[in-house]
Amino acid sequence: MSETVSLSLGGSYVVAPDNPRKTKNRGRKCMILSFEMNDEELDIRVIYLDTSREVLLKFSDLKPITE
């Protein structure tokens, strides 16, 4: 299954990996700070809204917030 998501700088998203075993940060809300190329893969630098901690995530782990 393929899903298209438009990501934008400053946008708010929720961490929701497709892999059911990746549960560590699932459900946390974050804001995109920048896009980075690492080893020919696109990583996204985000800041968690609950702790203000910056981390790198894979673009496939983010989903738009639907409330």
Side-chain angles (χ1 to χ4, degrees):
M1 185 162 108
S2 177
E3 183 179 336
T4 302
V5 176
S6 295
L7 301 176
S8 61
L9 291 176
S12 294
Y13 299 88
V14 65
V15 178
D18 292 332
N19 183 345
R21 291 187 233 170
K22 290 177 84 174
T23 60
K24 186 172 183 179
N25 292 307
R26 185 178 297 273
R28 290 182 78 180
K29 294 180 181 177
C30 60
M31 182 176 66
I32 295 178
L33 298 177
S34 65
F35 299 99
E36 300 180 10
M37 286 296 292
N38 293 326
D39 301 326
E40 300 192 18
E41 284 190 348
L42 178 65
D43 287 336
I44 301 173
R45 182 166 298 280
V46 301
I47 186 168
Y48 289 124
L49 299 179
D50 56 351
T51 61
S52 299
R53 181 172 175 240
E54 287 186 28
V55 296
L56 283 175
L57 296 175
K58 302 293 180 201
F59 71 96
S60 61
D61 291 346
L62 296 178
K63 303 290 185 270
I65 295 176
T66 54
E67 292 182 359

